[in-house]
Amino acid sequence: MTPEELEAARGRVVDDVVADGLTVLFCGINPGLMSGATGHHFARPGNRFWPVLYLSGFTPRQLAPAEQRELLDHGLGITNVVARTTARADELGDEELRTGGRLLTEKVARLRPQWLAVVGVTAYRTAFGERTARIGRQERTIADTRIWVLPNPSGLNAHWTAQAMAEEFGRLRTAAQSPTEGRSR
């Protein structure tokens, strides 16, 4: 992929991978330029989403970004807080994240996944006005969808190793499989 091809992807929208009633709807901050250029979520080679999804037991093998539609077979999907592609998430303003949070709330209420898993605690805090949110299960729900905040799998997130991320993703997987942790009551 040339720098020109990547730059041409700026502002594009990557289609959601969604269906009604998913077990977990993963939600990125916004697609990067590589995702915009390829049409696949978490497509940048240094992004750890796909390896961590496998290491945590969500998928039976490591999927490639081009295989993203196979997530639906596992009751999983992908969307984003903000739809437009940028080179870096820090190119998004707070108001754009808050607007994205409102649109995401509408989408989740319509699709009704059991869990919404937002990857990126800082973006979650801004999008949902939850300044003290931490990684893990949140008290907030959207209708009867529970929310879990996960670490950002970007290669730029040096605070989390792939193994530590896989452990946190695994905690969500365990909760999603538990009959008492499924839907909000």
Side-chain angles (χ1 to χ4, degrees):
M1 188 84 41
T2 67
E4 293 79 21
E5 290 170 318
L6 287 175
E7 190 55 38
R10 186 178 292 278
R12 287 186 186 161
V13 173
V14 178
D15 290 339
D16 289 342
V17 177
V18 296
D20 291 339
L22 294 168
T23 302
V24 179
L25 178 58
F26 290 96
C27 181
I29 300 167
N30 76 306
L33 296 181
M34 183 68 75
S35 291
T38 64
H40 306 302
H41 294 274
F42 302 103
R44 188 172 185 82
N47 193 293
R48 298 170 288 179
F49 178 79
W50 298 104
V52 166
L53 207 61
Y54 166 66
L55 290 171
S56 64
F58 273 109
T59 58
R61 66 179 178 81
Q62 185 174 323
L63 299 176
E67 298 174 301
Q68 65 187 13
R69 299 225 39 98
E70 289 184 32
L71 290 175
L72 297 172
D73 297 336
H74 303 288
L76 309 173
I78 305 176
T79 189
N80 288 286
V81 175
V82 174
R84 76 176 177 97
T85 58
T86 61
R88 294 175 50 108
D90 62 10
E91 294 176 35
L92 303 172
D94 287 355
E95 186 54 39
E96 192 170 11
L97 286 166
R98 284 189 291 272
T99 298
R102 287 189 293 275
L103 295 172
L104 178 60
T105 297
E106 292 170 9
K107 184 181 299 184
V108 168
R110 187 177 69 252
L111 294 172
R112 298 178 46 93
Q114 290 178 26
W115 290 89
L116 172 66
V118 179
V119 295
V121 68
T122 303
Y124 175 82
R125 288 173 180 155
T126 303
F128 290 95
E130 299 277 343
R131 288 198 245 144
T132 60
R134 296 178 182 263
I135 298 294
R137 182 178 171 171
Q138 306 302 301
E139 290 299 317
R140 171 192 290 260
T141 61
I142 299 172
D144 58 354
T145 297
R146 294 194 180 279
I147 301 173
W148 197 288
V149 176
L150 293 165
N152 186 340
S154 167
L156 299 175
N157 182 0
H159 298 289
W160 286 79
T161 65
Q163 187 57 47
M165 278 187 214
E167 290 169 11
E168 188 61 36
F169 274 59
R171 283 191 271 285
L172 167 60
R173 184 182 54 77
T174 299
Q177 292 175 337
S178 170
T180 61
E181 292 289 329
R183 295 255 179 224
S184 177
R185 307 265 180 246

